[in-house]
Every structure is written in C-alpha cells, then in structure tokens.
Amino acid sequence: MKRKSFLFLTIAVILVLSAVAIPASAKETAAPSQPAVAAQDAQTLEIYITGLTEDTQNWFRDTIFPAFEADHPGVKLEILTGGWGTFDTDVAGWITTGEGPDIVYLGSEYAATYGKLLADMDSYLADWEDLSNFLPAALETATYDGHLRGLPLLMSPRPIFYRTDLAANPDAPLPTTFAESLAFVQENTVVGDNGVEQQGFMDIGGGLFDAQEFIGYIWSAGGELYNEDGTSAFDSPATAEALQFMYDRRRAVLPTEDTPGLPPIEGTPLASGKVVSGIFPMWNVPPTSDPIWENVAIGPYPAGENGQQLIQVFIDWLSVPEYVENKELAGEFLKFIGSKDNAIELSKVAGFTPVRTDAWDDIRANDPVWDQLLGLAQEYGRSFSDIRASAELRPLITEQVTLFLTDQQSLEDTQANLKEAYDSILEANGYLE
Amino acid sequence: MANQYRLDNILWALGTVAFIAITSILIGGIAKFLVKLRGFSETEQRKAFWGALFAGPWISGFFIFVAGPTLVSLYYSFTDYKLGEPIKWIGLDNYRVLLSGNGTYGERFKGAMFNSFYYGAIGVPLQIMTSLGMAMLLNREVKGIRIFRTIFYLPVILAGGPAVLLAWRYMFATNGGFVNVSLQRFADSFFLFDYMYRLLIYVVESLNGFYIGMAVQGDPIGPLKYTFPALLGLLLIGPLAFGEWNDGKRSRAFRTIEILGLVLVGILISRGLVSNPINPVWTYAFSLAAVGIMVLNAREQKWGIVRACQIVALTLLAISFVMTLKAADFDPSAGSKYLIALLIAAVPLLVPFFGEWSARTFKMMLIAAVVLGLIIFVLLIPGQLDGGRLGLIVKYMTLQSAIKHPQDQTYLEDVFPFDTISTLWFYGLILAVAALAGLLHERYPQQRKLFLYGAFAFFALLAISSFIDTRHFFQDFADIAKANGKPNYHFARFHQFTDEFPENRRVPFWLTNDLWSKPSLILITMWSSGAGMLIFLAALKGVPRVLYEAAEVDGANGMQKFFKITLPMISPALFYNIVIGVIASLQTFEMVFIIRTPETEKSLMSAAFFLYQRTFQQLEIGQGSAASWILVVIIVALTAMQFRFSKWVHYEA
C-alpha cells in the first residue's frame, strides 16, 4: 500500500512539473516551422559564422554585437561558429528542422544550392541607398532567382601572381592568351631526375586542376556554362579550348603522368622560390608588406581565341534562411554590418577585402598591392555566381576533367559526358522544362 | 533577459525529466501488463514493472533517436526528397538508379561500392595480419613490454585525427616525402633491394591499373571478363576432381554452390530485379542457383532451408513477373520473351510441390533446369547462339583463341565485348558442375570423376586461351593508337604505368594518383591496427602453455605450432576481428574525407562518403537514404554469411 502511494505521489509530482514545463514548449509545437529565435525570444538574433579567424569572431562579439544591441534595445545577438568541414551537415540539419540561426554565412557558390531555402530580402534591402556602393558582382553572388537573399560581406579576388625574379625572361610582358600562358609555363618549368624542381604554374590546390578555375577558363575562352535554353554548354568550342589549355599546361609541368611533382612546400608557394606563377587566395600569400612583392606581378586569367581576360571574384556573404520569422530584424543587422565603417573595420580584422567600393579608398591609398589587385578586380572581375546545382556540378567536373587530364579519356568523350550528366542534373533540379 | 533564459532552460530540463519519467512508467506498465497476460505471479509482474521502468529511459531514447529516424529514412528512401522541396513517392526508383549502375549516380555508387569492397577484401586481411603479427611480438616477456604495447596502441587514438592524416599527406608526398625518401635509400643500399622496390611498384600499379579499368572505369575489357571466372572454376573444381572423394570434398561442393548461389542471387537482385525487363539469361542463372542450393541442402537434410529457398526464389520470380508485365504496360505479348523465360525458370522450382522430398524429385529438378535452360538458350535468345557464341566456345576449347582482331578501334571497343560470353554463364556452369558432382558421387563414382576431370580441363583451357587472347586484345589497342598518333584511352591506367618495368628513380605516387590512393589509405589503416592487436593479445594470453609443450615433445616446428595450435585457439578473436574489420571497412569515411584530392576523389570514394555527399552536400535525402539502406543490407548480409560459414571457429578454448 505504502509503495503504491509512493508511486502515486511520484506520478502526481511529475505531472505537475510537466504541466509547468509544457507552456514553454507549447509555443514551438504550435508552430513547428518557427525558428529557434521564436522559442526563446522574438528579439534574439543568432548569427552563424564559418571559417573566420578567432580575432574576427571576437570582433563580432565584442565590438559589433554591443553596438547593434545599443542601437536596438531589447535585441540580443548571439554568435554560432563552425568550420567548412561540418558546414553542409549543419545547414542541412537547420533547414530540415526549420530551426537554426537567423543569419548564415555562405560561400560564393551557395546561392544556387540553398537559394530556394533562403528568404527574399528585397523588401528589406532593395531600397537601401548604400546598396549602390556594393560591387555589382558581389550583389550578383547574393542573388537567387532575381531576388537578394542576403548581403555580401567580404570578397577575395583570385588573380594569377607571377614571380618576375624567378622567370626565365623577367622583362617579358605577362601572358594574356592561352598560347602565351602555355609558353610561359613551359619556359619556366624545370624537371630534374627526381621530378619537378621548379613549377611554371601552380593552381590553388596544387594538383594542376581546380573545378572553379576550369569554369574561369571557359568564361575567359568566351564561353558560358549555359545555353540560352538553360541546357549546359559543355559541348561548346570554348569548353574544348579551356580543357585543351589545361591539359597542355599540365603536360608542360608534368611531361608524363609518372613524373613526380614538387616536393612539399613549407610556407606559402609564392615565397618558396620553386613556383614561378600561380593562383592563390590572399591568405596563402606573404603579407603585402613583405619585400617579396617588389618582384611579384599580378595579372588576370589568360584569354582564349574569342574570349577576354578575367579575374574570378569569390564573395562570402550573409544569408537569411526562409524559416526565420523576424526577417526585418535580420535585414537591419545586415545593413548594420554592411555599413561603410563596419565594412572597413571587418576587412582589417578578417584580412579580406570589403565588397563596398567606397570602402576601398583607404586600402588603395596605403597598400600598393591591394591597389593593384582591386584595380584589376574592378576591370576584370567576374563573380563566381549563378552556378546551378553547384554541389552536384563540382564532383562531376572533378571526375570527368581528371580523366581527361590524366590521359584516361578523350576530349570529345569528356565534353559529351559533362554535357549529358549536367543536363540530367539540371533537369532533375528543375532548371530545365 | 538573462533570467528569462535561465527559466527557459530550467523548464526545458524539468520537462525532459518529466517526459522520461512518464514514458518509463508507461513502459513499466506495459511490461507488467504483458507479464500478467501470460499468467505470471504478482511478484513476477512487479519485477517486470521495475525492470522495464529502469530500462525505460534507454528504451524511449532508442525509439526516439534510433528506431524513429531509421524508419523515417526507410520511408525517405522510397521518395524523391530534395531538401526544401515537396516529398514525392517514387517507389523503388532510387534503388533502381543506384543498383543498376547506370547514369551518373548509378555509376558513382557502383564505383564507391567497388572501392569499399576493395578496402574490405585487401585492407582487412592486411590489417588482421599486421595486428596478429604485432600481438605475437608483444606476447613475449621482454623488459619494458608495457611501454611497447602503449606505443603500438597509440596510433588507434591518433589515426582518425585530421592532424595525423594531414601529417600522412606530408609523409606520403611523392617528391621528398618521408616514405618515398626512406624507400629510395633502402633501394639504393643494395641492388637486389632496388629490384624488389621496383617490383613492388610494378605489382601495385599493375593490379590497381587493372582494377580501375575493370571495376571502376567500366571499360570494355574483353576476354579478361571470362579469364577470371575460368580461373575461379579451376580453383573450385580442381580440389573436387583430384584425390580421394570424402566428406570434406562433399562439403566443399556444398559450400561452393551455396556461395556462388548467393552471389548469383545478389547479382540478380541488384541488376536483374531492378532493371526491367529482366534478361532471360539472368532469370535462368537465378533458377539454376536456387535449384543447386536446394539440392545440396536436401542432401544435408536441411529441409527448412530447402523450403525457404524454394519459396524465396519463387517469390522473387513472381515479383519479377509482375514488374516485367508492368514495364510492358500489362501487355503480355510485348514482354513475352521475358515472361516465358520467367515461367520456364519457375518450373524446376515448382517440381518439389508435387510428391515427397526424394532423390528422384531433385534429379527431376536438375534435369528440368538443364533442359529448360537449353530451351531458353535456343528459343528465347535468337541470334545469341548462332555462329558467334557457340563458335567462340569451340575456339577457346581448342586453343584457337588467338584470333587476329580487325585493326579498328571501334570494333574492339564496341563489337568485340558483345561477342564475348557473359561471365554469368560460367558462374552458372561452375555451380552446375559442383551440383552434379555432389549428386553423382554415391551412385556413379567413376562418372563423377570423369565429369570433374572434363570440367577441370574445360576451365583450364578457357583460362589459358582467354589470357592469350587478352594480350592480343590489348596489343591491338596499343597498335591502333600508335598508328593514329593518339593516346590509347582504353584501359589507360594499366597501359600508362605497366608498359615498361619501372626505372630505378621511379617512386610510388601515394596520395596523388588513383593507382596508389587505395593502397595508401589501407596503409594508414594498418598503422592503426592496435585495436585488433589488443584483442589478439588477450586471446594469445589464453592459449594454454601446455599445448605448446606437448607439441614440442612431439617435435613440432614453429610453423606447425602456429597453424595447428595458435590459430585454432585464437579463432574466436580472429573471427571477431574479421567481422568488425569488414563492417568498419564498408563504413570507411573520415580518411576519404580528409586525404582525397581532385585526382583521387573518385578512386577513394567509399559507399559511406557517397551517401554523405548525396545527402548532406547535394541535399538529395531520398537517394542518400536509399544508399544507406543498401549499405545496411550488404553489411548485414556479409555479417550473416560470415556467421553462416564460421565452422572454423573453435570456442572450446
């Protein structure tokens, strides 16, 4: 009897406790698609930042957040951080559950991947007068289906760097065409008994093939990724020209597939003394105050027969997922972080370039390397955007182009396979009627 | 504001505790009710209640976090679900795409599965050998042995870490990496070492070049397709044909049929059932496999398995029948060729429904299978038996296979592979030979022996002649390419690296080349064999010393002691390590994620990486779920097979 009473009492206590707890959770169960922000406090903004340094994260916490909170009483900002390694799983989880940060940091090509799942921010941002100061290519990156999905934050132009002091002919003009570029690489590559000793060109991954660079060369050969009807244009002469150029360049560095490449490089490739030219992100080159820059020339990608030179511009941007309830507040924060003063401060802390052209004056006046880089970006820049079904395209390009570059597939078969597979991907993703 | 957060957290915590408590009490109540229903006493009911109540938190957690998501993923696997878009029911389409091996993702999944099996088939034995070797070294009473054990175990803790894997990337650098520099110095020290080193490079590159061409790249590989089934036939029929016939041989015939039967069923399910309409050849091979398994299980008096096999086989044929009809829009005339094949294949399986299980029944089944198979051959596959195929068999049988191919690359790429015989026939043939041998051996021992000799000779001739033909096949590709002045894309990797014996400055290309990427990954896995080593070490400690002493008295040498005492005594540990190793190899993910480069992504991609890429990077939840369920089924089937064929494991120790 005593035991039963005890049990009864226990259940009663638990039920009472549950009754107390239910109101807190009931808000969520009533509207499952509402964001976490609604569950805790309608005036809380969670911001997810990926791949930025500890200093940058601290700048957000200690400088930007208190300033925004002071301007918006009752609003609380929180930072969530993560790496690119877990980025896909994190974002997929938030979108599946409809619960996650209010603002998500995205890389350049993600507008096409997540575009449908991001909020249309036109009504909050389109009338903002400062928008005209943003680099058009950057705004293009944050646009999906004709509508802004967030705001560009930082940019990273990706030109080709040349070590003129290592070049066989230091006074020669920089290559401007595929043919000249190929001749430059051949002239400046040294292959010894143990393999490559000096590399005429190195790409961003060091493997003499990069999917993003391949797209860049299609553009600089005068081609596009898509035909007017939306189908893929991998069967175009420009694609063939880009592929052939990349193949010939690989052979200029590695005469055969069984030629060992360069030994591992300590530090940055540009300062190694073993790489004469290459494409590197700004975080993988010596600081612009380093004397080495006196012997470094910067140029755009070479062009094909019917194309024009260009520089790929990669934009990191802040997006607002569709599930966010208080989009207006998210928009307010985007305007705040995107203001001229904050853009300049952020670029100093993060080591990237602001996407506002009116924020460049100071940088250009004080740093000749950045001055040259930004001048080239303005003249030749093309943003890495409108890459449809990018998550599926990258492995496809990697697979097919690698087969061609390593003599395992003909040029014709590579183009045909790329075209066929990408068309079916575009169709499956609703890009083709 | 902060107070509000604290209150929310407290309420959430209390709510969670209350939920767990209530569900635990409910689970306890259900357990008590079930025990009461079965008529147990009040005391037993109380015991059940409290037992289930305390297990309640785990049970409710299991249903919410394991069983629930598992069932949901099963549902998703039958849907076209891309994150952010409506879920659309598509039935078996995801499975069909992945298992058929066609299209971009079918091919990629096939490649990923081949890679995973490579890790299992080559990596697991090497890892077992390494861990056993390490355990035997550490099973000695040496000063400081505990320090050695710690050192050998350390990689288990470090191996999966990204920092260590990145360190391996540096060590495996082609030019100037620690591994290659060390190997080069070793080779330079003595001319014989240099030769061994280059031989190692040659062997690894040849095997992997061939593997890439055969399994992953899907190139036409002509006669090699049936060199291997022929070699397998030799290996399996050989031990049956020579020496005395005994129970061991009967058992081997039984195992051969069972394994090959399962392989054929697996192939049929993966390739046949999911691709409509089903080729009559597949149907017949499947029927033959089922009959073989039934006959030999009947000889073992395992009537349950015989009946189960009969019912499963007939059910699969019935499903195939309906699917074929559906593919033909329920117009029997449109799919008649396939429907008749299915009906004929079902006949031998239906025979045991009439009358008693007897030797006569099974003979009838075999005869029906053979006769009806011939009917399928002659009537239902017109054009496939005329001239070409039968003529080819005769050529191979008479060693006339060194045919001169036309000097035309299109012919070699497109026409010749279709002239070759489906390897499936040879698997079916091996199966039929073993089944007939098992059946004949009691009543007609002499005929059985002659029959096996004949079969052995057939497979031997086939293996030799097809190998000779393969050389011509490849040489013709090289000649044509040379004449055209173009690269030879056919079986390219194999040619690029095996045209000549490696020069003396050649180095392995470890992580930068698809010929070396899989061996590199296996090497890194072997480095962390400490977990298996620990299990072996514990098992070795349990082997009684007295057994070795007795063997020494009888004059046994080291090898004899190892194979006759050590290995049987530690067989449970060996079995455990194999099972766990195979499962882990099929789930390989982190290493692929970290060490892959654009050049090696395809050659390293495992099944687990494929499903990660499809699900989390490309947001195709439906196809990702289907891939994960296929992986689950394969892992369960392989584990079940390992348990089924685990008579070599002795638990007496």
Side-chain angles (χ1 to χ4, degrees), chain B residues 208-247:
Chain B
N208 285 287
F210 173 72
Y211 186 82
I212 289 167
M214 186 180 70
V216 184
Q217 209 156 300
D219 264 358
I221 55 164
L224 273 179
K225 269 184 182 169
Y226 45 101
T227 299
F228 285 89
L231 284 175
L232 184 68
L234 271 184
L235 277 173
L236 295 173
I237 306 299
L240 296 178
F242 299 102
E244 287 295 310
W245 184 270
N246 53 31
D247 272 357

Side-chain angles (χ1 to χ4, degrees), chain A residues 116 250 261 263 406 408 429, chain B residues 82 84-85 175 217 496 599:
Chain A
K116 290 177 189 169
R250 185 181 177 88
T406 55
Q408 297 184 70
N429 282 276
Chain B
K82 177 146 184 154
E85 289 177 14
N175 191 349
Q217 209 156 300
Q496 281 171 20
E599 281 170 311

Side-chain angles (χ1 to χ4, degrees), chain A residues 17 21 24, chain B residues 6-20:
Chain A
L17 285 174
Chain B
R6 279 193 208 107
L7 185 65
D8 278 351
N9 285 340
I10 291 167
L11 290 176
W12 267 102
L14 286 173
T16 309
V17 171
F19 174 79
I20 292 170

Side-chain angles (χ1 to χ4, degrees), chain A residues 88 148 339 377:
Chain A
D88 294 303
L148 271 176
S339 67

Side-chain angles (χ1 to χ4, degrees), chain A residues 286-321:
Chain A
T288 52
S289 55
D290 195 300
I292 199 172
W293 286 98
E294 287 167 19
N295 296 313
V296 174
I298 308 173
Y301 286 16
E305 276 183 25
N306 299 312
Q308 289 183 332
Q309 288 186 274
L310 61 84
I311 286 180
Q312 282 185 310
V313 180
F314 290 82
I315 310 285
D316 288 356
W317 54 294
L318 294 177
S319 67
V320 181

